[in-house]
Amino acid sequence: MYGAEYHQKIVVAAAQIIADEGLSHLSLRTVARKVGVSTTVIYSLIGNREDLIEAVSREARGSFVREQRAVGCTENVLVDLKNLGRAYRRWSLENPALYSVMFGGYFGPQEIDREPIAPLADAVHRIHAQGRLKIEDPWQAVWAFWSAVHGATTLEIAGGCVMVGGQSEESFEVILEGMVRGLVSA
Amino acid sequence: MYGAEYHQKIVVAAAQIIADEGLSHLSLRTVARKVGVSTTVIYSLIGNREDLIEAVSREARGSFVREQRAVGCTENVLVDLKNLGRAYRRWSLENPALYSVMFGGYFGPQEIDREPIAPLADAVHRIHAQGRLKIEDPWQAVWAFWSAVHGATTLEIAGGCVMVGGQSEESFEVILEGMVRGLVSA
DNA sequence: GCTATTTAATAACAGTGTTATTTAAACACT
DNA sequence: AGTGTTTAAATAACACTGTTATTAAATAGC
């Protein structure tokens, strides 16, 4: 019995491979070799390849959520909202492959839990509580901000940003500022 | 010599498989069987698997561009801009797998040509020419609209929309309206 | 100490991308 | 027409892959 610590070893080995070489280079045999066990252990401890990727996704989600929660709350909610967006972008650009596994939709329609965007949702609801939201449903605003930030980061990861010839950070600020101006009143 | 018409047959067979069963189910042997040739023909006519996917991507890009161009120009540029976004979403939801191949960033940083978003860029520049853009650089506005639309569609494809519990079309309209209000003055 | 059961390693199967080899066809030239 | 040569496609091979069946080893209970 290899115990639960090998579960962790396997998941971090798989996460390293995904982060370093991409999802397509993830093979159960190389993961098993890296950890020093046989592929049978992966099957009995975690499951098949899809389950392993799911486990890596859960682990990555934990890191992502931790960094979103690390964004503090100031007296200005709009500043918090933008800081959440900036942290979102920063984590995605630092872990592009893991981000793709989380939100890339590789597996078709999946059950995405709302924990990763909970801080974002909180900020938007705080704005809504102040009566400054230009639309009635705060969740639609959450969806809008999430879409903008997600789209910008995924396109930047894919290399689409250089195409329109702008500095990345400035362009991201424009997107944040644009959505804020469009959805919340001063 | 199988000629150029087999090039087309191979590409459409591959595109069908990607659209029906996903990119991961694309195998050179099944494509060759579907067309009625050997895998050697694919290698000599197109190249390896990555080249085949690239060819499918080019084909899909053609269809996408055609539908973007089909969005006519009215006297109201904002209506045109929104119609382009709606057509963008419609095509993406109808061809989710092909859309992922085009803009999913499966291959890491790639050279994305700006033809697919040329109509969008035109509309934004037309708004800029009217002096109604709230930011100085029109390309940053193009980038912002593209990010919002791309993010909304990819998240909807991945199944993230149901999560925030909104009707898809309404939420998309909110995103369009939000970005327009944020970036262009009345 | 010996059996019984769990656990992991090995081996096997079907399938993959890719390359090497072989067979077939087309063509040029006398 | 027949022979030699070049080209093209099919077949076979190699090194992988995910997954499952089988075998060996270690542990547990008595």
Side-chain angles (χ1 to χ4, degrees):
Chain A
M1 183 53 172
Y2 271 114
E5 75 273 26
Y6 267 81
H7 183 111
Q8 189 70 8
K9 283 188 180 183
I10 291 169
V11 172
V12 308
Q16 267 183 11
I17 292 177
I18 293 178
D20 293 348
E21 312 167 45
L23 182 60
S24 61
H25 285 74
L26 180 75
S27 111
L28 297 185
R29 280 180 169 89
T30 59
V31 169
R33 246 195 306 271
K34 204 178 172 87
V35 177
V37 294
S38 174
T39 59
T40 319
V41 181
I42 301 179
Y43 275 91
S44 66
L45 247 56
I46 295 175
N48 63 5
R49 187 175 190 266
E50 194 173 341
D51 297 327
L52 177 59
I53 297 172
E54 170 70 31
V56 170
S57 175
R58 203 183 350 260
E59 190 85 1
R61 211 155 55 219
S63 161
F64 178 86
V65 168
R66 230 171 295 126
E67 207 142 310
Q68 282 283 293
R69 292 227 184 96
V71 175
C73 286
T74 69
E75 73 288 346
N76 190 339
V77 198
L78 295 186
V79 172
D80 298 346
L81 182 67
K82 292 181 189 172
N83 282 336
L84 284 170
R86 296 180 186 115
Y88 192 111
R89 172 172 174 265
R90 195 184 323 121
W91 193 96
S92 305
L93 294 185
E94 282 170 358
N95 312 283
L98 292 177
Y99 182 78
S100 288
V101 169
M102 282 171 57
F103 291 131
Y106 282 82
F107 313 116
Q110 51 182 330
E111 192 63 34
I112 301 181
D113 71 326
R114 59 179 67 186
E115 194 190 11
I117 63 160
L120 170 69
D122 278 357
V124 172
H125 278 86
R126 239 153 51 220
I127 298 174
H128 178 66
Q130 297 178 359
R132 301 168 64 189
L133 217 52
K134 288 184 177 175
I135 58 176
E136 64 289 350
D137 185 5
W139 279 110
Q140 283 193 339
V142 172
W143 173 251
F145 279 110
W146 189 23
S147 294
V149 172
H150 170 77
T153 56
T154 53
L155 281 180
E156 189 171 353
I157 289 173
C161 187
V162 297
M163 169 192 148
V164 295
Q167 291 297 324
S168 310
E169 297 88 7
E170 305 175 18
S171 302
F172 190 77
E173 293 295 325
V174 166
I175 293 174
L176 281 179
E177 186 64 33
M179 261 307 180
V180 167
R181 266 208 297 249
L183 291 184
V184 3
S185 51
Chain B
M1 184 53 173
Y2 270 115
E5 75 272 26
Y6 267 81
H7 184 112
Q8 189 69 7
K9 283 188 179 181
I10 291 169
V11 172
V12 308
Q16 266 183 11
I17 292 177
I18 292 178
D20 293 348
E21 311 168 46
L23 182 60
S24 62
H25 284 74
L26 179 75
S27 115
L28 297 185
R29 281 179 168 88
T30 59
V31 169
R33 246 195 306 271
K34 205 178 172 87
V35 177
V37 294
S38 174
T39 59
T40 318
V41 181
I42 301 179
Y43 276 91
S44 67
L45 246 56
I46 295 175
N48 61 8
R49 188 175 191 266
E50 194 173 341
D51 298 325
L52 176 59
I53 297 172
E54 170 70 33
V56 171
S57 176
R58 205 184 349 262
E59 190 84 2
R61 211 155 54 219
S63 161
F64 178 85
V65 168
R66 229 170 296 128
E67 207 141 311
Q68 282 283 292
R69 291 226 185 96
V71 175
C73 287
T74 70
E75 73 287 344
N76 190 340
V77 198
L78 295 187
V79 172
D80 298 346
L81 182 66
K82 291 181 190 172
N83 281 337
L84 284 170
R86 295 179 187 117
Y88 193 109
R89 170 171 175 267
R90 195 184 323 119
W91 193 96
S92 306
L93 294 185
E94 280 170 359
N95 312 283
L98 293 177
Y99 182 77
S100 290
V101 169
M102 283 171 55
F103 292 131
Y106 283 81
F107 311 117
Q110 51 182 329
E111 193 63 33
I112 301 182
D113 71 327
R114 58 179 68 186
E115 195 190 10
I117 63 160
L120 171 69
D122 279 356
V124 171
H125 278 87
R126 238 151 54 220
I127 297 174
H128 178 66
Q130 296 180 358
R132 300 169 64 188
L133 218 51
K134 288 184 178 176
I135 57 177
E136 66 288 350
D137 184 6
W139 280 110
Q140 283 192 339
V142 172
W143 173 251
F145 278 110
W146 189 21
S147 293
V149 173
H150 171 76
T153 55
T154 53
L155 282 179
E156 188 171 353
I157 289 172
C161 188
V162 296
M163 170 193 148
V164 295
Q167 290 298 322
S168 308
E169 297 88 7
E170 304 175 17
S171 302
F172 190 77
E173 293 294 325
V174 165
I175 292 175
L176 282 180
E177 186 65 33
M179 262 305 180
V180 167
R181 265 209 296 249
L183 291 184
V184 2
S185 51

